[in-house]
Amino acid sequence: MSDFSFAMLPGIEQEEMLWLQELTKSYSSENKQRFLALYSTRRKDPQIILICSLVGLVAVAGVQRFLLNQILMGILYFMTVGFCFVGTILDAINYRKLAWEYNKKEAISSAALLGL
Amino acid sequence: MRMSLYRKLNPELLAWPAGLLCLFFLDPAANQPSLCLLKNVGIPFCPGCGLGHGVHYLLHGQWQEAVHHHWLAPVVVATLLYRTFQLARQQYIDFKLQ
């Protein structure tokens, strides 16, 4: 388990990598591996969020919000065609922050789940 | 510093309050041309039709009028306000940590 194991996560950015290294600083090598295994299954790839928001321009809007567990926002996006496309375009621009907001929560809850 | 502030700020945090403010000040009774893209393109049906008017009336305290225009108007206002506060809290924590 090297310090660069997080780099294999798809679409990972420097900010996320540094944050994860800080979070797992005090973990033993085995715990780090367990954390990575759990986190990598719960994490959402930012690129998926981008693709789902772009789908909103041609077909069903709001899939990205459902993926990010924001059910109410997803329903509103669906009903209003992504707030008349404004919301959809905003999400396509802002997809990294949306994904990171979700992933941060998942990282903390995976650590809590493992009792770390 | 200014550049990093701009990069840190979540655009969603500006968009939702801006949208609500915009709907607050637009008068549906004034017969202005529709803002809706679908209507301007010529598609008459949308599940969100009347939502803008509904939100306007709700923000002015006319509950019945709002629900009459679109039954989801209260849900929209509540959800957008909740999301705004959620983002504002996260942003505040982010700035405080720096």
Side-chain angles (χ1 to χ4, degrees), chain A residues 29-47:
Chain A
S29 177
E30 192 195 339
N31 275 344
K32 232 182 222 177
Q33 218 148 17
R34 284 168 63 208
F35 172 80
L36 184 62
L38 186 59
Y39 177 60
S40 61
T41 60
R42 305 180 70 161
R43 185 178 176 276
K44 291 275 190 295
D45 183 353
Q47 206 157 32

Side-chain angles (χ1 to χ4, degrees), chain A residues 65 79-80 94 97-98 101, chain B residues 7 10 12 47-48 51 83:
Chain A
R65 296 286 173 160
M79 295 288 289
T80 60
N94 197 28
K97 258 191 192 127
L98 277 172
E101 180 193 340
Chain B
R7 280 178 64 95
N10 198 330
E12 258 190 85
L51 206 51
R83 180 82 181 135

Side-chain angles (χ1 to χ4, degrees), chain A residues 66 69-77, chain B residues 75 79:
Chain A
F66 284 115
N69 222 356
Q70 300 174 6
I71 310 295
L72 260 178
M73 280 302 257
I75 293 170
L76 291 187
Y77 267 69
Chain B
V75 183
T79 315

